[in-house]
Amino acid sequence: MSENLDALDARLLLLLTDSPRLGVLECARRLGVARGTVQARLDRLTERGILGGFPPELDLAAMGYGLTAFAVLEIAQGRRAEVAEALSAIDEVCEVHATTGQGDLFVRMVARGNDDLQRVIDEVVGVPDVLRTSTSIALSTPVPPRVRPLLERTARG
């Protein structure tokens, strides 16, 4: 059963979003609650699958992957799991979403440049059961991936 976050959960997640390296004791101090309360909340958020870990925020462009592209894939019916597994073996494929509408899968991928993107697209098209693709290159990211507004709303109550 899925239960909603409460204001303390949201405040804790906001704190960890801003400072992911904070320890439990420092979180408790900043939130004005007991250390045990913070630890219990973190344990519960992890058990519920809301908190999956604390990965570092990476700048892919600074790592040499300055080009982001999105592809809509049409695939053979009933082959989503197999295609998704094959796509996950392509290092430059960052995310795959099953979708409704024109295509079946929405893929975010990165590349070092246009020539490298062509190589990545060729790998994607080479996946068995991928029937058709349509790729768009991202020119900028005016709204990056975010959850902060949802957490702030919940923290306000």
Side-chain angles (χ1 to χ4, degrees):
M1 178 176 104
S2 173
E3 57 185 86
N4 292 330
L5 295 178
D6 67 15
L8 181 57
D9 290 333
R11 288 176 43 225
L12 174 58
L13 291 171
L14 281 168
L15 184 60
L16 291 171
T17 298
D18 292 340
S19 303
R21 296 178 67 167
L22 285 181
V24 172
L25 190 59
E26 182 60 18
C27 287
R29 187 187 70 71
R30 291 187 189 189
L31 294 171
V33 299
R35 181 200 175 286
T37 300
V38 169
Q39 187 62 59
R41 295 293 180 121
L42 288 172
D43 291 345
R44 193 178 81 231
L45 291 167
T46 301
E47 287 170 13
R48 291 170 53 198
I50 294 170
L51 181 61
F54 298 93
E57 183 177 324
L58 303 175
D59 183 334
L60 291 172
M63 292 173 52
Y65 294 93
L67 194 148
T68 298
F70 298 92
V72 175
L73 276 56
E74 292 180 27
I75 63 172
Q77 208 161 8
R79 305 300 293 177
R80 184 182 70 230
E82 294 83 358
V83 171
E85 184 177 339
L87 291 171
S88 72
I90 300 171
D91 295 340
E92 294 83 2
V93 170
C94 298
E95 313 177 44
V96 177
H97 300 269
T99 61
T100 62
Q102 289 294 93
D104 302 303
L105 298 175
F106 187 73
V107 179
R108 180 173 69 95
M109 61 187 102
V110 295
R112 296 185 180 278
N114 289 340
D115 291 340
D116 192 39
L117 178 61
Q118 183 62 62
R119 178 191 59 77
V120 174
I121 291 170
D122 290 345
E123 283 190 54
V124 169
V125 171
V127 169
D129 298 313
V130 170
L131 305 176
R132 185 172 293 116
T133 66
S134 174
T135 305
S136 298
I137 294 174
L139 299 176
S140 67
T141 306
V143 179
R146 64 194 185 128
V147 296
R148 173 171 285 287
L150 299 172
L151 292 172
E152 288 174 345
R153 181 189 318 155
T154 301
R156 288 190 301 267

